[in-house]
Every structure is written in C-alpha cells, then in structure tokens.
Amino acid sequence: MIDKRVADLAAALEGISDGAVVMIGGFGAVGQPDALVDALAELGPRELTIIANNAGWSAETGIPRLMDLGLVRKIICSFPKGSTVFKDLFTAGKIELELVPQGTLAERIRCGGAGIPAFYTATAAGTRLAEGKEVRTFRGRECVMEEALTADVALVEAWQADRWGNLVFRGSGRNFNPIMAMAAELTIVQAHQFANELDPNVIVTPGIFVNRVVQVDSRVEKLLAAQKAS
Amino acid sequence: MIDKRVADLAAALEGISDGAVVMIGGFGAVGQPDALVDALAELGPRELTIIANNAGWSAETGIPRLMDLGLVRKIICSFPKGSTVFKDLFTAGKIELELVPQGTLAERIRCGGAGIPAFYTATAAGTRLAEGKEVRTFRGRECVMEEALTADVALVEAWQADRWGNLVFRGSGRNFNPIMAMAAELTIVQAHQFANELDPNVIVTPGIFVNRVVQVDSRVEKLLAAQKAS
Amino acid sequence: MSETIEKALGDDRVAMTRRLAGDIADGWYVNLGVGMPTKVADMIDDGREVMFHSENGILGMGPTPAEDEIDPWLVNAGKKAVSLTPGAALFHHADSFAMIRGGHIDLCVLGGYEVAENGDLANWTTPSGDILPAVGGAMDLAVGAKRVWVLMQHTTRDGAAKLVRRCTYPLTAPAAVDRVYTELGTFAVTEEGFRVLTLADGVSLADVQARTDAPIHG
Amino acid sequence: MSETIEKALGDDRVAMTRRLAGDIADGWYVNLGVGMPTKVADMIDDGREVMFHSENGILGMGPTPAEDEIDPWLVNAGKKAVSLTPGAALFHHADSFAMIRGGHIDLCVLGGYEVAENGDLANWTTPSGDILPAVGGAMDLAVGAKRVWVLMQHTTRDGAAKLVRRCTYPLTAPAAVDRVYTELGTFAVTEEGFRVLTLADGVSLADVQARTDAPIHG
C-alpha cells in the first residue's frame, strides 16, 4: 500500500546530507515549511545550496537560522533583503548569492520539474542580471537563455495531504510549493492536516511529486499574531 | 461589471476572420468544444490553421467538417489518424501537416501562453521529427529547440464557468483546454454550466485567460452512447 | 519656485495616485508594485470592477481586511494581509508569472528611480551603493505587462531629475515604460520622447521642463 | 521448430504480459501505451497498489467500468472509458507531460516495431508506407520515463526479427529501452547488448538467438 505519511520530522528529513541542494517553498509567512526548516537546522547538514524566493527575516528561525549556523554555502533567490544574518555573511564574503528575477526563478524551477533543460525569456535582457548569459532574438525581442533548476530536496508546506501524497493548498500558500515539489529528487511536505482522500478534481500537487508527508500544526497564525503585536 | 458570458454561439464566435490560427481543445470525445467548432464551420472563415491533438473522427462534425468544407490550410497536431477526410486531403496535397510529439505540442502551447519564446527538449532528438531543428546538448543529452505556439483564437470546453471567465473542468476534460486558453488572443469557451461564483481554491483556468463564455448542453453523453451503439 | 508648483510638489501623493487610478479601464487586470503603487487599489471608484493581481498567486485581490477578518493564509506581494474580491482565483508562482510574462496583465504600475525618454526603466538597484541587490518580480513585470506605468515623484528629494535622456542607474528593462505619473502630470513615452498627456493644476510645461533632463513635448 | 517453442509462440500474449506485470514494483507510477501494454493493468494482483498514468491527465486510472457506471467525462489515452482508483488526481496536458518528460514516471510500457541492442526504439512509423504518420505521445514517453519496457512479439508475423543490431525503422528515440518482454523471455538492454533476464518455459537461449538479429547474452 502506498503511504507516504511519516511519524515525525526526524523521519521526514532522514538522509539529507552535506552539500545538498535544498528548495524551500513559501512567500512571506504563508506556505513556509517552517517546522521542516527548523528541524533541518537541528540535523545540521553543511555546505547546503538553498533555492528560495527570500533569504528570510529572523535569525531565530527559517533560512537565516540555517545561515547563522554556518550550514549554507550559497543561496539562489530573487529577494535577499530582510535578515541581517544574510547581509552580514554576504558582505563578509562568507556566502554566495545568485540573484534571479522572481518569474525566471519560478520558471527555472518549473522547467526543472518538467524535464526542460533550458528556455528563453525577455526578462533581464539588457540588464546587469543578463551578464554572461547567452542572448538571442525571437520575433524582434532580445531574450536570455535560462537553465532549469533542480534540487536534491524540496521542503514544502501544504494545507492538506492524503496517504498518496496528493496535496491541496490554502490562500496564497501555493506560491513556490507546487513547482518545487516537482523539481526535487526527494520532496518532503509538512501538511497542516491529513485527509483520508482528496477530490481528484481539486488536487493541486499530484502525489507522484511527493515522497514524504509529515503532519505539523501550522505556525502561520502565531506568526501573524506576533507581527501584529510588534 | 466584468461579464464574459455571451448569449449564443454567433456572439461567441464574432470576428473570427480568414487566415486565423485556431486552437481547439479536447482529447477523445472529452473536452471537445464541439458546438463552437460546428458553429465555426457555419461561419466559414477560410485558410485556417488548426492546432489540436487530433485531426478528428467523423466528417459530419468537428475538425474534419472544417476540412471537408475546405476551410483549413494547415493542421498542427500529434495524431492525424482517424478521419478519412484529412487523409484524403493530405494525400491529395490539399492540406499541410505539422506533426508534433504530443508532449512537445502541449509544452509549445503552454510556452505560448507563458511568454516563453522557445525551449529545449530531448523529445524527438535523433529522430525524423527533429530534422531541420536546432540541436544542442545539455548535461550530455541531445535536445532540440522548440518554439512556442500561439493562436488568434482558442476554442475551449469547460464544465463550469462564472461571469469572470473562471473555469473548472471535469474528469479528463482538461487535457489541452487550460493551456490553449492561455495561448490565444481571443479565448472562447463553451461551458456546460454557468456558476454564480467558483471557489478560488479550485479554479483551474483563471478568468484572465478567457474572453467569452457561452453555455452549451454537453454532447459528450450523446457521443458516448453513439459510440457504444456502433 | 512658484507657489502653485510648491503646492503640487507638497501634495501627499494622493492626487497623482488618484489620477492614475482614474485612467485604469474597467475590467483590466492590474498588478501593483510595492510601495506607492499599492495605494492605487484604494482609489478605484465604487461600482467599477478592476481585477488586481499579486505575483504570489492571487487574481482578485481586495483591500486590507479588518483585524478580526484577517485570513492568515492570504498575503500580497508585499507580505501584508489582504482579502479576496468576488471572482478571485488562486494559483502557483509559475502560473502567476505566466500571466505576467505572457502578456495577460493589462497594466503594471511600478515605482521608479529613473525613466528614460526611450522607455528604459531603472527601479531595482542603485549604481554603486546597493551592497545587497534585490530584484523580486520587477524585471518580469516590466517586460511582461501589456502596459507599464511608472508612478513616482518627478524629482529626487535633492531635486535631481528622474525623467532623463538615458538612465544612469542599472536598468530593470529597456524600452519598457509607456507612461509616467508624477505630481506634475502624466507623460507618455513616445517615439520622439516624453509627451504631456495631463498637467497637474497650476503646472506649466515650462515648470515640467525645468525639472526634467530630457525634452518634454507639449 | 520444436513443439515447446511453437506453444510459446502460440501463447495468446497473456503469459508475457503477466510476466511484465509481475516485475512492476508496488507503488510505481506507470504509463501503459495503447494496444497490448494496456492489458498490463488487468494483471496486477489484488492487494498491490500501482498508480497508472494516462497522458491525457489522469493519475490513478482504474479498470474499464461496467456499462452503467461509465462516466462519459473520463477516457484514457486510447479514448476508451476508464475509472479512477482511490488517490487519483486530474490535471492538464502540460502538467501530464511534465510528469513524463521530467522523469517522474517510474515505468512506461510501450509496443515496438524494432528494438536495437543499443536501446534504440522504433515504434511510431514504418520506413516507407506510412502515408499518414502519427506520433502521439510515444516520443515523449520513450525519452522521459525512468524505465522503458517494450512489450512485443519476438518476431513479425513473417518471422522477421524485431530485436536487431540497428533499427531499420524510423526511430522513436535513441538509447531509450531498458527491457524487452516477448513470448520467448525477458531481455535487458545492457552496455554489451541484449542479455537474458528470463526465458519462457521450454525456451532455450539457442531458440531465442535463432529469432534475434543481434547477439543474445545468456
């Protein structure tokens, strides 16, 4: 019987090793696989490459915590501002940054999952971020060639999951999660709820893209409450 | 107020002219915008280029009817077998065929909708269908460059639509419909039902991709009954 | 500086934002960049229907909800709580940028450091000082949307022109901008350069030209 | 021709299909090509869970439904009515081929005209006669799936070999095939060519070699 549910965070993260390329979903406080990221920090694999939209906000949790522990060699993202942890490491030359426009980042990840090695886009053509990239004109428009991104591991948050690993999301919680789930060798999901069976018509991420699911009470509500209080 | 619903098939098809590139959704009997295609045959624009998975089955309806009326200059598809109409026209040199692997067809259409002018794929590399195409090796694997497909018009079938043009599909009715909706200047939908408002979490095609929606009683049931009887 | 100009410059940005909002057609799909552009959503008159897009996967984004109506699972591109309007749809990041890159967004409103008379836009990083450059979705939006309107002050705080012959800041996208909305007026980017569409109350062409580093055509 | 070989060749294809079905691991995601491969789904023993994929947007495809349980909105890649199994999901064609091309399908079972000892597959069109070539999803499946197993008769009706040194038919994909299942046995495609994994009851290596146009390694 197919059953991708695992008992706890340790079982969910088993086997992640030094040097892993790790995609981490989420946009703002929503859709962050926060429990998985914090458990990864405890596990402590080193020399990680992180692919995410942001570099995170607070040194106490999430991606900045991974960085603060010295576990991250490089980050590929569109918006590294927010945490002083990244800024300090970056200015000290202790972490590498690949800055990618947000839509190009999303498409590179989607292509990684879809078996498309490279594509062309007008985004960034004629700008500093196209330096060193191959340029080609289609229908009179200059485009840059962008290569797919894949990962060893994707950490994903979902609203509900079933035993087959089918996922549904809530609100703006999809963001990078469904495409990262497609692009990694090992996709690990923290789900707010387990469902017995999801309606085939409304599933967003089919279970084929998912390897393990762990149930975790969402911290979105708590985070938002804290934000409001501050 | 945004309201993309139109009263009838004539209003739905208004403005389609000679030489139009027309995408037509559907796979097998499911998800075929049959009423729209038959109404297009009545309207009679000439020199059409059709983009669809199949060349259709019966001369009395659908794409073969368009061909039988001499309205089609070219078809871009993955599986032209089925109707004798196409075969006869093709062997007589009266219609042009661009044969595309099914997954490459889907991706070219999706790229058309997503503003990606071209991409690389291993599909068809080293085969007759790669002849004349640019070849390039990524990670040791030979790939061909494929260009996006766009259209003047997409004819689409959906299960339900709301006044904003948001769509949901049923069963295997999605197939090419959601990606064709993205790739055309003018996307025209025949929906089995109008809904007041669809749940934002389960919408498959957001209304931004849709221009007009007409309500049509589905003929899928009838077609299947006829198939069984034969 | 004349008194009227001083008044226009002292405007709290409401007038220019309202002017832009009034130029948005009913039924358009509109993406609003972070900062000043966000305010455009509050200035669409009642009874009009404009669908706001947020690049993190929302179409049909509504205003900031009341505290007790906040859905913690719903934020906008600026990471703030938002609501949904009737007809809304939710999707993932690749589909969201397919809308943007594929030319389906009727209008994108962005802030700007500089706009050149050929439509070049610079709005993502400074020439020298930005140790930590962050691009977000600015480059995708600038090349993808059907129309790009820049909403910004006409000059920097130091009085330097932001409508220029050629950008000195690093580009976000070449030849991307269609219009610029400032406190002095609305300016189209045309083949011959900047052209006035509207002047703010009490502002003359000469006033604008004096604060612009490229020819302004009346 | 010996009696046992005659019997093996006369097999109604059930045995070879069952042999292939038995080699599918629990939990695999499997796409079955049209024709003989379709029958594999009926030969998965009760109590095992294999998820069948159909390129027109179904994962978790179940058997042909009873006449009165047909959902007219649900057909497979062969355009026949099918059912859904628990855990099924539905999606569009681009997402479906993302699964295929992206290497997410554990196994694809295809029919074949010819398989070469280097794994080249020819299964979509004939060298000369096919006036109307149709490719469908064959090329995408052959390059995309993690494993490609070809299920076919060992020779043509005329007795010509279908396991060959080099394909004479137009290729579907180069170096794509991992295994070939025929009525004579199961053969792996390896660096040194075809290698026997299983021989059908009463079939010898010499029997296979006599019907194969490439070396068969024992």
Side-chain angles (χ1 to χ4, degrees):
Chain A
M1 199 176 82
I2 297 172
D3 192 349
K4 299 180 179 180
R5 294 170 297 182
V6 297
D8 53 33
L9 291 163
L13 294 178
E14 205 191 309
I16 300 180
S17 52
D18 288 359
V21 177
V22 183
M23 291 180 173
I24 300 177
F27 189 95
V30 182
Q32 295 283 353
D34 35 32
L36 289 172
V37 177
D38 287 350
L40 184 66
E42 295 307 313
L43 189 65
R46 308 187 75 82
E47 293 288 311
L48 300 176
T49 296
I50 301 294
I51 303 174
N53 187 63
N54 287 66
W57 296 267
S58 151
E60 285 146 42
T61 185
I63 297 171
R65 182 158 153 72
L66 296 177
M67 293 174 173
D68 203 33
L69 292 168
L71 307 179
V72 183
R73 189 182 70 75
K74 177 179 178 177
I75 183 165
I76 303 175
C77 73
S78 89
F79 207 86
K81 286 185 182 177
S83 96
T84 53
V85 178
F86 176 72
K87 193 180 177 183
D88 293 346
L89 288 169
F90 184 70
T91 48
K94 290 186 177 159
I95 196 165
E96 207 180 318
L97 168 66
E98 181 178 341
L99 189 68
V100 183
Q102 197 172 132
T104 297
L105 182 65
E107 190 65 14
R108 288 178 68 189
I109 294 166
R110 192 243 170 218
C111 283
I116 304 290
F119 64 96
Y120 291 92
T121 175
T123 301
T127 78
R128 185 184 282 186
L129 295 189
E131 279 168 21
K133 296 199 173 178
E134 217 174 294
V135 171
R136 181 165 175 157
T137 298
F138 291 93
R139 299 177 200 186
R141 196 160 199 199
E142 194 175 279
C143 294
V144 295
M145 193 181 84
E146 296 283 356
E147 293 198 48
L149 285 170
T150 54
D152 299 306
V153 180
L155 304 183
V156 160
E157 191 193 47
W159 175 246
Q160 291 182 315
D162 63 20
R163 71 172 168 90
W164 296 271
N166 294 310
L167 308 180
V168 295
F169 300 85
R170 182 171 158 180
S172 64
R174 296 189 202 183
N175 54 71
F176 284 89
N177 285 306
I179 51 175
M180 287 180 171
M182 296 168 67
E185 267 307 300
L186 174 63
T187 293
I188 305 167
V189 179
Q190 76 173 64
H192 185 74
Q193 294 171 356
F194 281 142
N196 275 337
E197 199 186 335
L198 295 165
D199 176 356
N201 282 290
V202 309
I203 288 166
V204 171
T205 294
I208 191 172
F209 298 124
V210 171
N211 299 94
R212 300 175 192 161
V213 187
V214 61
Q215 191 274 321
V216 167
D217 292 331
S218 171
R219 288 190 290 177
V220 164
E221 283 84 354
K222 282 190 243 170
L223 282 168
L224 207 86
Q227 269 183 18
K228 269 196 282 180
S230 73
Chain B
M1 197 176 82
I2 296 171
D3 192 350
K4 300 180 179 180
R5 294 170 297 182
V6 297
D8 53 33
L9 291 163
L13 294 178
E14 206 192 306
I16 300 179
S17 52
D18 289 0
V21 177
V22 182
M23 291 179 173
I24 300 178
F27 189 95
V30 181
Q32 294 283 353
D34 36 31
L36 289 171
V37 176
D38 286 349
L40 184 66
E42 296 307 312
L43 189 67
R46 309 187 74 82
E47 292 289 311
L48 300 176
T49 295
I50 301 295
I51 303 173
N53 187 62
N54 287 66
W57 297 267
S58 152
E60 285 146 43
T61 185
I63 296 172
R65 182 157 154 72
L66 296 177
M67 293 174 172
D68 203 31
L69 293 168
L71 308 179
V72 183
R73 189 183 70 76
K74 178 179 178 179
I75 183 165
I76 302 174
C77 73
S78 88
F79 207 85
K81 287 186 183 176
S83 97
T84 54
V85 178
F86 176 73
K87 193 181 176 182
D88 293 346
L89 288 168
F90 184 70
T91 49
K94 290 185 177 159
I95 196 165
E96 207 180 318
L97 168 66
E98 181 179 340
L99 189 68
V100 183
Q102 196 171 134
T104 297
L105 183 64
E107 191 65 14
R108 289 177 68 189
I109 294 166
R110 191 243 169 218
C111 283
I116 304 290
F119 63 96
Y120 292 92
T121 174
T123 301
T127 79
R128 186 183 281 186
L129 295 189
E131 278 167 22
K133 297 201 171 177
E134 216 175 295
V135 171
R136 180 164 175 158
T137 298
F138 291 93
R139 298 178 200 186
R141 195 159 199 200
E142 194 174 278
C143 293
V144 294
M145 193 181 83
E146 296 283 355
E147 293 198 49
L149 285 170
T150 55
D152 299 305
V153 180
L155 304 182
V156 160
E157 190 193 49
W159 175 245
Q160 291 181 317
D162 64 20
R163 70 171 169 89
W164 296 271
N166 294 310
L167 308 180
V168 295
F169 300 85
R170 181 171 158 181
S172 64
R174 296 189 201 184
N175 54 71
F176 284 89
N177 285 306
I179 51 176
M180 287 179 170
M182 296 168 67
E185 267 307 301
L186 174 64
T187 292
I188 305 168
V189 179
Q190 76 173 64
H192 186 75
Q193 295 171 355
F194 282 142
N196 276 336
E197 198 186 335
L198 295 165
D199 176 356
N201 283 291
V202 308
I203 288 166
V204 171
T205 294
I208 189 171
F209 298 123
V210 171
N211 299 94
R212 300 175 192 161
V213 186
V214 61
Q215 191 273 321
V216 167
D217 292 331
S218 171
R219 289 190 290 178
V220 163
E221 283 85 353
K222 282 190 242 169
L223 282 167
L224 206 87
Q227 271 183 16
K228 269 195 283 179
S230 73
Chain C
M1 194 181 279
S2 77
E3 207 174 302
T4 45
I5 275 292
E6 203 167 341
K7 187 164 166 244
L9 292 174
D11 191 306
D12 63 353
R13 305 174 173 187
V14 172
M16 58 196 269
T17 308
R18 194 183 301 283
R19 182 167 7 102
L20 189 154
D23 288 349
I24 294 176
D26 282 1
W28 273 8
Y29 295 90
V30 178
N31 182 293
L32 302 174
V34 291
M36 195 166 22
T38 307
K39 308 283 185 212
V40 170
D42 302 330
M43 301 196 184
I44 302 294
D45 293 337
D46 287 350
R48 299 184 57 201
E49 197 170 14
V50 172
M51 298 295 277
F52 290 103
H53 172 268
S54 185
E55 50 264 49
N56 58 321
I58 308 171
L59 198 63
M61 188 170 53
T64 310
E67 287 246 338
D68 56 344
E69 283 176 2
I70 285 177
D71 176 353
W73 292 83
L74 202 66
V75 298
N76 66 9
K79 283 96 176 177
K80 304 291 186 225
V82 288
S83 57
L84 296 181
T85 55
L90 300 162
F91 34 86
H92 63 53
H93 245 85
D95 282 349
S96 184
F97 279 87
M99 290 179 192
I100 293 169
R101 202 189 301 102
H104 305 284
I105 302 288
D106 293 294
L107 169 67
C108 174
V109 183
L110 293 169
Y113 293 141
E114 287 179 334
V115 175
E117 60 178 350
N118 64 355
D120 286 2
L121 171 65
N123 80 344
W124 75 283
T125 191
T126 57
S128 55
D130 214 340
I131 301 165
L132 206 59
V135 66
M139 288 188 179
D140 312 276
L141 285 160
V143 305
K146 280 184 200 160
R147 298 167 189 85
V148 173
W149 293 355
V150 171
L151 178 65
M152 64 179 191
Q153 300 292 128
H154 202 89
T155 55
T156 67
R157 275 178 217 170
D158 304 334
K162 300 178 70 173
L163 285 82
V164 295
R165 275 194 184 276
R166 289 292 172 270
C167 289
T168 59
Y169 278 53
L171 289 195
T172 304
V177 178
D178 299 288
R179 288 188 185 177
V180 184
Y181 287 77
T182 78
E183 71 279 16
L184 300 187
T186 305
F187 310 95
V189 175
T190 71
E191 298 220 341
E192 67 258 325
F194 294 116
R195 194 166 58 74
V196 173
L197 293 177
T198 314
L199 289 175
D201 277 355
V203 173
S204 72
L205 185 58
D207 292 330
V208 176
Q209 188 62 75
R211 287 161 182 80
T212 304
D213 263 0
I216 297 279
H217 304 280
Chain D
M1 196 181 277
S2 77
E3 207 174 304
T4 44
I5 274 293
E6 206 166 339
K7 186 164 166 247
L9 291 174
D11 191 307
D12 62 355
R13 305 174 172 188
V14 172
M16 58 197 267
T17 309
R18 194 182 302 282
R19 183 170 2 106
L20 189 154
D23 288 349
I24 294 175
D26 282 0
W28 273 8
Y29 295 90
V30 178
N31 183 292
L32 302 175
V34 290
M36 196 167 20
T38 308
K39 308 283 186 212
V40 170
D42 301 330
M43 301 195 186
I44 301 294
D45 293 337
D46 286 350
R48 298 184 58 202
E49 197 170 13
V50 172
M51 297 296 276
F52 290 103
H53 173 268
S54 185
E55 50 265 48
N56 58 321
I58 308 172
L59 197 64
M61 188 171 53
T64 310
E67 287 248 337
D68 56 344
E69 284 177 0
I70 285 177
D71 177 353
W73 292 82
L74 201 65
V75 298
N76 66 10
K79 283 95 177 180
K80 304 292 185 224
V82 287
S83 57
L84 297 181
T85 55
L90 300 161
F91 35 86
H92 62 54
H93 245 84
D95 282 349
S96 184
F97 279 87
M99 290 178 193
I100 293 169
R101 202 190 300 104
H104 306 284
I105 302 288
D106 293 295
L107 169 66
C108 174
V109 183
L110 293 170
Y113 293 141
E114 287 179 335
V115 176
E117 61 177 350
N118 64 354
D120 286 1
L121 171 65
N123 80 343
W124 76 283
T125 191
T126 58
S128 55
D130 214 341
I131 300 165
L132 207 59
V135 67
M139 288 188 180
D140 312 275
L141 285 160
V143 305
K146 278 184 202 161
R147 298 168 189 83
V148 173
W149 293 355
V150 171
L151 178 66
M152 64 180 190
Q153 299 293 128
H154 203 88
T155 55
T156 68
R157 277 178 215 170
D158 304 335
K162 299 177 70 173
L163 286 81
V164 296
R165 274 194 184 277
R166 289 291 172 269
C167 289
T168 59
Y169 278 53
L171 290 195
T172 304
V177 179
D178 299 288
R179 288 188 186 178
V180 185
Y181 287 76
T182 79
E183 70 280 17
L184 299 188
T186 305
F187 310 95
V189 176
T190 70
E191 297 219 342
E192 68 259 324
F194 293 117
R195 195 164 59 74
V196 173
L197 292 176
T198 315
L199 290 175
D201 278 353
V203 174
S204 71
L205 185 58
D207 292 331
V208 176
Q209 188 62 75
R211 287 160 183 82
T212 304
D213 263 0
I216 297 278
H217 304 281

